Amino acid sequence: MSSDSRSRIMARIRHASRGQDAAAIAAELQGFGVAPAAALPHDDTCIAFMTNVLRNQGSIEVAPGRVDVVKAVGQYLYRHYRSHRLVAGNDPHLAAMPWRDGGVLPRFGEIEPGEPVALSYAQWGVAETGATIFLTGRNNPARNNLLPEHHLVVLDVDRLLPDLESLWQQLEPAFAGADRPRGLFCIAGPSSTADIEAQLVCGAHGPRAWHVIVTGEVRQEQLDVASAIHAAAGSTGAG
């Protein structure tokens, strides 16, 4: 679009809204409605979210209780690094975990060079995209989402939303108060690029592994269904 065309369009927009009060503008916006959300791969929001996490090259597991979360983190760390050390944000949900029960030794704060694993708490998950949502600040450092080789995420199943429109409704009050977060991250997979010869490479600009641990009233059977849907879609695409 040329600069002249852009100027004409913006001039028309300004002219159309001139003299309109806030109520009239809100009514006009309401008349536009919202775009339809993408179809979910399953009617169960949790299963749909898990399926899309797998589609996004992530890994996922379920851990109903806090002790289960700690054990899952400890097993992941030992499996990949033969270690029980990681850095975690100061989010109260993470600080309250019984880390000693799983032999995990977290350091709370921002990730530093040489630390390969960071653990974050996601405020929401979006089934439509398989994204985990983070409101960053002192308790949830942005660096912990960007710099580790392996990014582990804890997400409560009660914080799952069906689509992005539902997320915007949640964000409005979160950003309206005095304690507004510093930023918003929507992470839907490990860092990746296909710029070079159209070959997908993970870990190009950030974490090369993204592992989501869903906690709360969640069952292994739901993950099994999500894994089967993902596997079936992969075999169909390969054929």
Side-chain angles (χ1 to χ4, degrees), residues 37-49:
L40 297 181
H42 195 278
D43 292 338
D44 184 305
T45 301
C46 183
I47 294 175
F49 171 78

Side-chain angles (χ1 to χ4, degrees), residues 17-175:
S17 61
R18 187 174 299 161
Q20 299 291 329
D21 57 23
I25 294 174
E28 291 281 349
L29 290 173
Q30 190 69 26
F32 284 115
V34 296
L40 297 181
H42 195 278
D43 292 338
D44 184 305
T45 301
C46 183
I47 294 175
F49 171 78
M50 292 177 173
T51 302
N52 281 331
V53 167
L54 296 172
R55 287 179 176 176
N56 295 343
Q57 308 297 317
S59 55
I60 193 163
E61 65 181 301
V62 299
R66 295 194 304 169
V67 173
D68 302 307
V69 171
V70 170
K71 290 181 178 178
V73 171
Q75 290 168 2
Y76 186 97
L77 289 172
Y78 190 76
R79 184 164 64 250
H80 290 275
Y81 289 99
R82 294 295 187 267
S83 169
H84 284 136
R85 296 183 179 276
L86 81 164
V87 62
N90 283 305
D91 189 282
H93 296 87
L94 300 181
M97 293 288 178
W99 295 111
R100 292 184 179 180
D101 292 353
V104 179
L105 303 173
R107 182 185 70 78
F108 293 98
E110 287 189 310
I111 193 168
E112 298 292 343
E115 293 180 306
V117 185
L119 176 68
S120 303
Y121 178 81
Q123 277 77 20
W124 297 282
V126 179
E128 180 184 11
T129 60
T132 47
I133 312 301
F134 306 90
L135 300 179
T136 62
R138 183 172 57 185
N139 291 336
N140 287 290
R143 290 170 55 176
N144 292 8
N145 300 330
L146 302 174
L147 299 184
E149 290 185 2
H150 288 240
H151 187 204
L152 276 61
V153 178
V154 175
L155 170 67
D156 196 304
V157 69
D158 292 337
R159 305 288 287 179
L160 281 175
L161 303 171
D163 50 45
L164 288 170
E165 294 298 334
S166 302
L167 172 63
W168 306 140
Q169 295 172 12
Q170 298 290 328
L171 290 176
E172 187 173 351
F175 278 88

